[in-house]
Amino acid sequence: MLRTRRGCMYYFFSYGRRLAVGSCLLFVIGTMWALTLSLLLAAGCAVMAEPVRFLDCGSKDGNIKEVNVSPCPTEPCVLQKGQSYSINVTFSSKIESKGSQAKVYGELLHVPIAFPLDQPDGCKCGIQCPIQTGHSYNYLNKLPVKPEYPSLKLVVRWELLDDQQQMLFCWRIPVQITS
């Protein structure tokens, strides 16, 4: 015998005293599993992508709304050699620009030392170019910490330059590189 109720199908077999519930049980279990997985992923992302306190170091052509470094559960961020860290900067632009280029430095005693990026082109890092005045953007990139870097405390300085070489954003955070 087949009955339907509120979109679920129940299958009842009349032989013996056995009751088999068909697709509704699978639907309910699948829905609960999907909800649980979604909540766990959301919680994991919330834990990993904590906003960090940053110092604006001269954002002329943009306004930084938030900087996220993942994973960075404590400040200063402890960066492990051989790992890569996700960077997400939410900012708004005050100007129009056809493109953007990122530059990253490690500052030791106020002396900037360039950190190479695999992808310095901001238009390939989550920003839809051309950049327009008043629009909000999410800049996404990775900061690789190479094994040959020395273990020390320093300040990371991250700049995003517009096509006139002016700063869309510039931020600084203290970090510690460890083995």
Side-chain angles (χ1 to χ4, degrees):
M1 175 180 203
L2 172 67
R3 291 186 188 167
T4 61
R5 183 175 177 213
R6 293 188 187 145
C8 295
M9 289 186 201
Y10 297 92
Y11 296 95
F12 298 99
F13 297 101
S14 58
Y15 55 89
R17 291 209 169 254
R18 206 183 294 212
L19 172 70
V21 179
S23 63
C24 187
L25 181 60
L26 292 176
F27 173 76
V28 170
I29 290 172
T31 302
M32 290 173 61
W33 176 250
L35 180 61
T36 302
L37 184 59
S38 297
L39 290 173
L40 287 174
L41 286 173
C45 289
V47 168
M48 292 178 59
E50 286 292 321
V52 295
R53 284 180 278 167
F54 65 92
L55 176 65
D56 189 305
C57 50
S59 302
K60 179 181 177 215
D61 290 344
N63 288 324
I64 301 172
K65 296 178 183 175
E66 188 173 81
V67 175
N68 289 295
V69 178
S70 177
C72 177
T74 62
E75 292 181 38
C77 292
V78 177
L79 307 180
Q80 297 287 323
K81 294 179 187 180
Q83 300 295 314
S84 188
Y85 294 82
S86 297
I87 306 298
N88 182 354
V89 181
T90 304
F91 73 100
S92 61
S93 176
K94 297 178 186 175
I95 54 93
E96 293 185 6
S97 180
K98 292 178 182 165
S100 61
Q101 290 291 315
K103 294 185 179 183
V104 180
Y105 303 93
E107 293 180 349
L108 277 173
L109 302 171
H110 302 287
V111 176
I113 301 164
F115 273 55
L117 287 174
D118 293 335
Q119 184 53 264
D121 186 349
C123 297
K124 294 180 181 175
C125 295
I127 298 175
Q128 185 175 354
C129 291
I131 297 169
Q132 298 177 357
T133 305
H135 286 227
S136 185
Y137 297 94
N138 282 317
Y139 169 81
L140 308 165
N141 209 330
K142 297 278 187 187
L143 177 63
V145 180
K146 297 183 179 178
E148 57 267 19
Y149 290 167
S151 296
L152 49 79
K153 291 182 180 183
L154 70 145
V155 173
V156 170
R157 176 183 172 126
W158 203 295
E159 302 174 354
L160 187 67
L161 305 176
D162 60 26
D163 53 11
Q164 301 299 313
Q165 298 301 302
Q166 298 297 314
M167 286 190 217
L168 282 163
F169 66 68
C170 178
W171 53 268
R172 298 171 67 217
I173 61 167
V175 301
Q176 180 173 353
I177 298 176
T178 63
S179 299

